[in-house]
Amino acid sequence: MYFEIYTTERSRKDPRKAFRRFPSVRRTGKNMYRIQAEERKERKIRRICRRRHYELKRIYPENLGRSDHYRRDFFSYYPRPLGGYRCRYCHRRIPDKRLCIDHIYPIYRTKTGNDFWLRLLRIEDVNDVRNLAPACRRCNTKKGRNAGIWVLRAILGRYEAYWVLRKVCFVALVVGLVFLLNFFS
Ligand SMILES: [Zn+2]
């Protein structure tokens, strides 16, 4: 299990020290820490939180949280294409330094108990390579915690035919508009 812990204004000690008996404590955000421990350690963790004024925000199984090796898995499953990766959402080429590995179905949703899409796609682990996609920073930020249409876009974006079709539709639309404008003027 993952135990997500937040420091509060009253907490003084670094959680990595307070939980020194748990070697898996990791800092995951500004005030956020994560401990990986067995389910039965919950009482102990709660006790330390109470004493040290941390907030135990949520507890969720490992398969619904960010793994330490998802980037490695991604690169071995999707080797770098010639010229670099393309963003799954906008099809732009991404310079290697600015490449984001996006969790198509976002972790925020799974760890807060919503795994609708994962079940629909029959994916058990949120870090499964099928749930990972290359993304540019702009799309990654824009997407944030959204799912829905973004999940569809990530699935379709894998296919070159989708991008060709999009272009064809766009050209057809422009030609149609020009034609209509000519017709009415
Ligand atoms: Zn993009």
Side-chain angles (χ1 to χ4, degrees):
M1 285 291 187
Y2 283 139
F3 296 82
E4 199 170 273
I5 282 161
Y6 284 63
T7 54
T8 63
E9 277 175 19
R10 292 176 68 202
S11 38
R12 296 222 178 82
K13 212 166 184 174
D14 187 322
R16 280 166 294 198
K17 281 185 189 147
F19 290 96
R20 60 182 180 282
R21 289 215 181 152
F22 297 88
S24 63
V25 189
R26 272 191 53 188
R27 190 161 182 237
T28 50
K30 200 169 162 240
N31 304 312
M32 251 166 83
Y33 293 81
R34 194 182 75 186
I35 303 169
Q36 185 179 16
E38 291 155 51
E39 209 173 344
R40 62 191 170 85
K41 301 283 184 197
E42 184 180 335
R43 274 182 63 192
K44 199 165 201 172
I45 291 174
R46 278 194 191 280
R47 200 162 49 220
I48 300 176
C49 282
R50 214 165 33 238
R51 208 182 309 145
R52 300 283 182 188
H53 307 293
Y54 305 126
E55 184 192 350
L56 178 58
K57 189 90 171 180
R58 49 180 83 89
I59 307 170
Y60 50 92
E62 278 96 345
N63 63 325
L64 300 182
R66 187 184 301 274
S67 75
D68 297 331
H69 49 80
Y70 74 95
R71 288 183 71 91
R72 208 170 53 222
D73 295 348
F74 173 86
F75 290 119
S76 63
Y77 192 80
Y78 300 109
R80 184 181 181 278
L82 264 177
Y85 292 93
R86 274 181 189 277
C87 174
R88 204 54 96 65
Y89 303 100
C90 68
H91 210 228
R92 286 198 187 92
R93 236 183 250 291
I94 323 164
D96 291 347
K97 273 189 186 162
R98 300 180 65 87
L99 175 69
C100 300
I101 308 299
D102 177 51
H103 282 84
I104 298 175
Y105 193 66
I107 283 179
Y108 182 78
R109 289 192 174 232
T110 53
K111 74 179 183 186
T112 51
N114 180 346
D115 58 353
F116 170 76
W117 274 98
L118 281 194
R119 276 186 288 125
L120 196 73
L121 301 171
R122 289 165 192 257
I123 295 176
E124 290 202 343
D125 189 330
V126 73
N127 304 289
D128 190 301
V129 282
R130 286 173 296 162
N131 194 43
L132 300 175
C136 69
R137 277 204 195 146
R138 225 178 99 211
C139 292
N140 198 241
T141 315
K142 230 162 106 185
K143 179 173 173 258
R145 296 168 178 178
N146 293 315
I149 195 80
W150 288 91
V151 176
L152 283 178
R153 284 174 67 185
I155 295 170
L156 291 172
R158 252 190 99 168
Y159 304 101
E160 209 53 43
Y162 163 75
W163 296 104
V164 174
L165 199 71
R166 258 177 68 131
K167 256 182 211 153
V168 170
C169 288
F170 180 73
V171 171
L173 193 78
V174 172
V175 170
L177 275 178
V178 170
F179 182 76
L180 272 179
L181 283 175
N182 268 333
F183 186 76
F184 284 114
S185 58

